[in-house]
Amino acid sequence: MPPSSRMAPPPPLAGVVMVAAVLLLLLPEAAETRTLLSLDDFGAVGDGIANDTQAMVDAWSAACATDDHTFLHVPAAKSYLIWPVTLAGPCREEIKLFISGNIVAPESPDEWLEGDDGGKWLHFLGVSDLTLSGGGVIDGRGQRWWARSCKAKRNATENCTSHAAPKALHFEDCQGISVMGITLQNSQESHLTFTRCSHVKANYLRITSPEDSPDTTGVHVVSSRNVHIMDDSISTGHDCVSIVGNSTDVRLRAISCGPGHGISIGGLGENRSYHRVEKIKMDTLFISNTENGVRVKTLQGGCGTARKMKFGDILMKNVKNPIVIDQHNSSSNEIPSAPCSKLSLENVNLTMAGGHNASAYCHQAFGKSVGVVVPDSCLGKEDYLRRQVSAADAGMQEQGGGEDDDR
């Protein structure tokens, strides 16, 4: 072929453009601008001895200020010593905190108490659209906190302190939070806390501390809504999950719980406060070697409601009190202003080790049983409750002459 008929090869730049176009077709998300940061970029040492707190603060500030979706990496095979810190929002864009290595707390409580109220360790405040993942470990190293706690049985008569221990990983006034695929262990107090948060996921977590560690709740939900806690393994010295305050739309599923105190709604009404907890659904729970199974607990003097709660498909083993609904009233001999009502027991089978019969106890509890319920249901009939309330209302009207005294 004569030279004039040959096709000239494309310039190198055209080839680059062609390859880039193919990549964009295969990976459309690659068009998004992203920023990749590492804790080491900001001077972190990661030997578990040097104080890496400032590096964490600087890295967070950089991630929070960028206009891009940001990945902040805590590298593997290292341990970063972080002192109490608050990482605040709002941030400009979504942040993914990818924890591959270890984040560890200082061991001695004494130095914490000098400049900190002891309430928080890793504190996220006012943050939106944040994901924590990566398979790493957040270790509160709470052994010295537990040793001095008055709530530890061995210290009940010894020199101890009632000073609040820190919450390890605490989200406050946050939304769009996902914590998944990491290990939280040996927290000073609660391992993972959500306070006044919304649209939260806590999935695929391993949360662990010794059975005798005081107040080491696994996941603590306070006045939060739309919270999903799923596919977790939790073994602690206190509640696996506790829900308090004004919380709604909380979903628990596929959780292995124990040892510890079980799964708890409450105590509600602490310090005579008003609490409203509703739309709570739990199923596919595996609870073993705990003090309680599932519990709803109110505190004397408080007020509010606990309603629209459903517990189903729960397997329990070696549980002292499998189902507890505990409402404290001013007088156990009087009908409370709002007794427990509209309760339903369906296909419940509780047996005791050694072949002994289990027992049920109810006081001012009304509802129905469906299917096979062992031991026999002790719930009172709803129509009896209605008659008693109507009689009480009639007596009050007769006493007051039918007039409205609230003038």
Side-chain angles (χ1 to χ4, degrees):
M1 182 179 295
S4 60
S5 64
R6 295 177 184 173
M7 182 179 291
L13 181 58
V16 173
V17 172
M18 291 170 60
V19 171
V22 172
L23 286 176
L24 286 173
L25 288 173
L26 294 175
L27 300 171
E29 293 183 1
E32 294 181 2
T33 306
R34 300 184 180 185
T35 300
L36 307 180
L37 303 174
S38 169
L39 212 56
D40 292 353
D41 297 338
F42 297 85
V45 178
D47 62 358
I49 300 173
N51 185 349
D52 290 324
T53 310
Q54 191 59 51
M56 173 67 83
V57 171
D58 293 343
W60 176 261
S61 297
C64 197
T66 182
D67 291 325
D68 306 330
H69 289 200
T70 304
F71 288 78
L72 177 54
H73 188 213
V74 178
K78 290 187 174 184
S79 292
Y80 296 88
L81 176 61
I82 306 296
W83 289 76
V85 64
T86 293
L87 304 176
C91 297
R92 293 189 177 184
E93 274 292 348
E94 176 185 7
I95 297 177
K96 295 185 183 294
L97 179 54
F98 199 78
I99 303 173
S100 299
N102 299 337
I103 296 178
V104 299
E107 292 185 276
S108 174
D110 296 323
E111 296 178 71
W112 288 55
L113 301 179
E114 290 178 1
D116 185 76
D117 63 0
K120 309 173 185 71
W121 174 33
L122 304 177
H123 180 215
F124 290 86
L125 175 64
V127 178
S128 299
D129 301 322
L130 171 65
T131 298
L132 273 71
S133 62
V137 176
I138 295 178
D139 189 349
R141 300 203 291 185
Q143 289 84 352
R144 295 191 186 179
W145 288 93
W146 310 332
R148 62 167 53 190
S149 171
C150 292
K151 294 185 178 181
K153 293 181 179 180
R154 60 182 177 276
N155 287 333
T157 58
E158 300 173 13
N159 185 23
C160 61
T161 179
S162 58
H163 194 282
K167 300 173 179 64
L169 182 57
H170 184 195
F171 295 90
E172 186 175 5
D173 297 319
C174 297
Q175 62 180 354
I177 303 298
S178 177
V179 184
M180 58 188 299
I182 62 176
T183 295
L184 297 104
Q185 64 187 34
N186 300 323
S187 173
Q188 306 88 352
E189 195 194 60
S190 297
H191 288 78
L192 176 59
T193 301
F194 299 102
T195 301
R196 297 183 302 278
C197 295
S198 66
H199 299 87
V200 168
K201 294 181 180 179
N203 300 344
Y204 307 107
L205 302 177
R206 180 176 179 265
I207 302 177
T208 178
S209 60
E211 185 176 1
D212 60 352
S213 55
D215 280 349
T216 51
T217 295
V219 183
H220 189 45
V221 180
V222 185
S223 297
S224 296
R225 61 185 177 86
N226 200 344
V227 179
H228 287 194
I229 305 170
M230 300 182 178
D231 301 290
D232 300 323
S233 174
I234 305 174
S235 57
T236 66
H238 205 256
D239 297 330
C240 293
V241 179
S242 65
I243 304 167
V244 299
N246 297 295
S247 295
T248 184
D249 289 306
V250 181
R251 179 81 164 90
L252 275 64
R253 181 178 62 80
I255 295 176
S256 172
C257 168
H261 293 183
I263 295 176
S264 179
I265 298 174
L268 303 175
E270 186 176 8
N271 297 324
R272 307 184 71 85
S273 58
Y274 177 91
H275 285 165
R276 183 186 181 99
V277 176
E278 62 182 2
K279 297 181 183 177
I280 313 295
K281 184 178 181 181
M282 309 181 188
D283 67 76
T284 321
L285 307 179
F286 306 92
I287 304 176
S288 61
N289 303 310
T290 58
E291 180 178 348
N292 302 306
V294 291
R295 179 179 67 166
V296 181
K297 179 183 179 182
T298 64
L299 300 177
Q300 190 169 1
C303 60
T305 58
R307 59 194 292 268
K308 294 185 179 179
M309 295 177 290
K310 182 177 181 180
F311 309 96
D313 298 319
I314 304 174
L315 179 62
M316 302 186 194
K317 185 176 182 181
N318 296 332
V319 174
K320 183 178 180 181
N321 305 302
I323 303 172
V324 181
I325 301 175
D326 186 4
Q327 178 169 260
H328 290 263
N329 301 295
S330 58
S331 172
S332 60
N333 297 320
E334 299 176 358
I335 296 177
S337 58
C340 296
S341 62
K342 298 183 180 179
L343 302 175
S344 176
L345 296 174
E346 181 175 353
N347 296 330
V348 177
N349 187 4
L350 301 176
T351 59
M352 296 183 65
H356 301 290
N357 294 327
S359 61
Y361 170 77
C362 299
H363 176 72
Q364 299 299 346
F366 302 87
K368 64 181 180 179
S369 59
V370 180
V372 177
V373 176
V374 179
D376 292 338
S377 170
C378 59
L379 294 175
K381 299 294 184 181
E382 292 284 354
D383 58 350
Y384 172 80
L385 173 61
R386 286 192 291 269
R387 290 198 304 269
Q388 294 296 99
V389 171
S390 297
D393 288 344
M396 290 179 64
Q397 290 178 1
E398 183 177 345
Q399 262 190 338
E403 296 179 359
D404 184 4
D405 293 327
D406 189 17
R407 290 190 287 268

